[in-house]
Amino acid sequence: MTKIGFVGCGSISGIYLENITHMFKEIEIAGVCDLIDERAENASKKYGVRKYADMHELFADPEVGIVLNLTRPYEHFGVTMAAVAAGKHVYSEKPLGATLEEGQKILEAARAKNVRIGGAPDTFLGAGIQTCRKLIDDGYIGTPVGASAFMVCHGHETWHPDPEFYYKFGGGPMMDMGPYYVTALVNLLGPVQSLTGMSGISFPKRLITSEPHNGETIGVDVPTYVTGLMRFHSGAIGTIFTTFDVYKAKVPIIEIYGSEGTLSVPDPNCFGGPVGLFRPEKNEFLEFPLAFGYPENSRSLGLADMAKALETGRKPRASSDLTSHVLEIITGFDRSSALGRHIEISTKPERPAPMVRPAAGREGYLD
C-alpha cells in the first residue's frame, strides 16, 4: 500500500482526499500539510490522518511513498524540487512547472535522485477519452487527419473567491486549462512535432465581482487570448483556442477528424461525458456508449496508476514524459507568438498505454 503525503489542502484537495479514502484501494493518505494551518487541521480531522508541521516534516517521513503537490501553479517548482531533493517521488497538479525551464530542471533533478515524477491531468484516463482512444485505434474514423479544441470563457473574477493567480505568472487560459486539452489530444493522436501560436491580453485590468475581494482590480500579466496550430508526428494538424476574454461561443470542445468520420470528444476536464461518432453512411452524430471505467470524477486515478507503476516496474500513464511534453507545447504557443515564427518541439513521448476496464468488483484497483 503506497502512502500519499499532501502538500496543499486548498479547494482541489477535497476530491483527492475523498477518492483516495473511498475509491482507490491501493493507495492511502499518510498525512497533510498546508501553509494555512486551518486547512490542514480540517483535513486531518475529517479524514483521521496526520497533520505535518510543514512540507519538510512530511518529506522526512519514511512512510510517505509519493508526495502529492497541490500548491498553486507558480509554487509547483519549489515544492517539487524540495521533495525530489529529499528523495521522494512526486505527483503534481498541472502544470509540471510555470515555465519550460522549470520543467526541465525538475526532470534533471529527478533523474539525478532516481525518483519518478508524475502529474495531472489524469482525466484522459477516464471512460470518456479512453473510449475515444479505442474508437480511433480501432479505425472507426479511418486515418486521423486533424483536430480542433476550444476552451472559451470570460475568466474567473465573477465567481472564484481568489481569482488573482489566474492572471499572474503561471496562470492564463493555456496554462490553466490547456493541459487538459493538449493531454487529451496527445493521448488520442500522439506527440506534437511543431507548432505556431499567437497570444495577447484583451483586458489589461479585471474587476473582481465575487466575494471576498469584490471591488478589487487585478492587473493582468499573462496572455488571456491564446490560439495555435499543431502538427503531430502522425501528420495530423490540430487547432487549439483558449481564452478568458470571450463571453460565449458556439464551438465544439474537441473534435477529431478522420478520413472516414468525425469523433466528438467529451470535455477533457471531466472523466466521462458523451462521445459522438459521425460516419458518412449514417449522416449524423450517434452517441457511442462508454467502454471503460471511471466515468465519474476520479481525480487521483493518475496518482493510483503511478503508485501501481512504481510497485510493478511499468511506466506510469500520467508520466513525466507526457507532462513535460505538454508543458513544452502549452508554453510554446506564447514563445512562438513572441518570436513571430513556427517552432519545433524537442520532446517526443510515446502515447500512454490504454487503460484496462476493471472487472466487476475490482473498481479502484489498477492493472
Side-chain angles (χ1 to χ4, degrees):
M1 183 75 73
T2 301
K3 294 190 175 183
I4 311 301
F6 280 60
V7 179
C9 296
S11 58
I12 193 63
S13 68
I15 190 63
Y16 280 94
L17 290 161
E18 280 293 310
N19 286 347
I20 293 173
T21 302
H22 300 295
M23 183 181 294
F24 296 105
K25 308 300 193 296
E26 297 173 292
I27 54 176
E28 63 181 354
I29 303 165
V32 299
C33 69
D34 194 285
L35 288 174
I36 300 174
D37 189 67
E38 182 182 7
R39 290 177 177 175
E41 184 68 29
N42 290 340
S44 173
K45 288 179 178 177
K46 183 173 181 178
Y47 294 95
V49 297
R50 177 178 175 181
K51 185 189 79 170
Y52 298 96
D54 55 32
M55 68 180 187
H56 299 291
E57 184 181 19
L58 184 153
F59 299 157
D61 184 355
E63 290 201 343
V64 173
I66 301 174
V67 172
L68 176 59
N69 184 352
L70 299 183
T71 59
R72 289 170 291 191
Y74 63 83
E75 297 169 322
H76 288 176
F77 176 73
V79 171
T80 296
M81 288 291 281
V84 168
K88 295 295 188 183
H89 304 294
V90 180
Y91 185 93
S92 177
E93 253 303 326
K94 50 80 187 168
L96 176 63
T99 66
L100 177 61
E101 292 72 24
E102 285 187 355
Q104 291 170 337
K105 288 178 181 178
I106 287 171
L107 298 191
E108 290 169 4
R111 283 192 291 267
K113 280 288 190 175
N114 195 30
V115 297
R116 288 287 188 96
I117 304 293
D122 56 359
T123 48
F124 76 98
L125 300 176
I129 293 174
Q130 286 294 308
T131 298
C132 292
R133 164 82 179 258
K134 182 166 179 57
L135 288 170
I136 292 171
D137 290 352
D138 288 353
Y140 277 76
I141 62 168
T143 301
V145 298
S148 62
F150 296 89
M151 195 298 296
V152 178
C153 75
H154 204 263
H156 298 65
E157 62 273 18
T158 61
W159 61 271
H160 197 283
D162 188 21
E164 185 175 22
F165 76 91
Y166 286 100
Y167 301 100
K168 300 298 182 181
F169 176 67
M174 184 60 74
M175 294 296 287
D176 178 47
M177 294 301 295
Y180 294 104
Y181 289 75
V182 173
T183 301
L185 289 171
V186 171
N187 179 61
L188 296 173
L189 298 175
V192 171
Q193 182 178 38
S194 57
L195 60 79
T196 303
M198 287 190 178
S199 61
I201 298 172
S202 305
F203 306 101
K205 299 286 185 182
R206 297 274 183 158
L207 177 65
I208 301 175
T209 58
S210 58
E211 298 297 342
H213 299 285
N214 188 2
E216 297 178 18
T217 300
I218 303 169
V220 178
D221 297 339
V222 294
T224 51
Y225 195 105
V226 185
T227 186
L229 296 171
M230 298 163 285
R231 183 179 294 278
F232 294 82
H233 281 275
S234 66
I237 297 172
T239 303
I240 188 168
F241 173 46
T242 67
T243 184
F244 288 162
D245 298 344
V246 174
Y247 286 101
K248 199 72 175 176
K250 291 183 178 180
V251 292
I253 297 173
I254 296 178
E255 288 183 341
I256 308 296
Y257 310 115
S259 60
E260 299 175 25
T262 296
L263 189 62
S264 176
V265 180
D267 186 344
N269 192 28
C270 303
F271 288 81
V275 173
L277 177 65
F278 178 92
R279 295 276 304 184
E281 62 270 21
K282 295 292 185 180
N283 201 33
E284 63 178 327
F285 276 96
L286 299 177
E287 187 166 338
F288 201 91
L290 301 183
F292 288 84
Y294 307 106
E296 67 280 6
N297 189 341
S298 301
R299 278 182 170 82
S300 297
L301 178 55
L303 174 61
D305 180 78
M306 180 180 176
K308 189 69 172 185
L310 289 170
E311 177 190 330
T312 61
R314 67 165 170 81
K315 187 173 184 177
R317 291 178 171 90
S319 69
S320 59
D321 287 351
L322 178 61
T323 56
S324 62
H325 183 61
V326 170
L327 181 62
E328 186 176 7
I329 294 165
I330 63 175
T331 58
F333 295 116
D334 198 35
R335 289 198 307 279
S336 171
S337 182
L339 292 169
R341 63 173 174 82
H342 201 63
I343 64 172
E344 300 294 316
I345 298 299
S346 64
T347 52
K348 188 184 177 183
E350 297 177 0
R351 290 169 81 202
M355 292 290 284
V356 176
R357 185 167 189 160
R362 292 289 296 173
E363 294 83 1
Y365 295 90
L366 277 293
D367 65 291

